[in-house]
Amino acid sequence: LSSCECAPGFRGNAGAGGSCVPCEAGTYKDVNGSGACTPCPSNAESQNGSTSCVCAAGFTGDAGVGEGCVACEAGTFKPFDGPNACTSCPVESASLEGGRSCGCGVGHVFEPNIPSVRCGDA
């Protein structure tokens, strides 16, 4: 890394006396240099200063390879950003395609961040 180049995750023109600034959320840069940051693909996200993107909640896959991030199938969910697989909804609950959580029928409750919890009486 030269003192005149921006590190991965940063953009700018360090070689012309400028400065390097972090890539904005939703973009990334995985190489050294003054180049621009690249927008994340559909259904993917990144934090400020990122060198890669990850699939958003409700989507699974590898944000940088092949088909990228695909929606969780109906009846499955994924509550967090990242490459994790979608999880099946518990018994007595359901989700739509791209679900971030599962829902229960009237009179039942479900905690979306604890996949092993079943729907129960409210």
Side-chain angles (χ1 to χ4, degrees):
L1 176 66
S2 162
S3 62
C4 296
E5 292 182 319
C6 293
F10 292 81
R11 63 176 175 78
N13 197 356
S19 62
C20 298
V21 295
C23 292
E24 294 84 12
T27 67
Y28 72 100
K29 185 168 148 273
D30 59 358
V31 296
N32 292 330
S34 60
C37 301
T38 303
C40 290
S42 295
N43 306 312
E45 301 177 354
S46 70
Q47 301 294 319
N48 288 339
S50 291
T51 59
S52 64
C53 301
V54 296
C55 293
F59 295 84
T60 188
D62 186 338
V65 177
E67 293 181 20
C69 302
V70 294
C72 293
E73 294 180 5
T76 67
F77 74 109
K78 191 181 118 206
F80 307 107
D81 294 343
N84 307 45
C86 301
T87 302
S88 294
C89 289
V91 173
E92 301 173 2
S93 69
S95 71
L96 298 175
E97 183 177 308
R100 294 175 180 224
S101 66
C102 299
C104 297
V106 176
H108 298 276
V109 295
F110 170 64
E111 173 56 51
N113 294 328
I114 306 174
S116 62
V117 174
R118 293 177 50 173
C119 291
D121 293 331

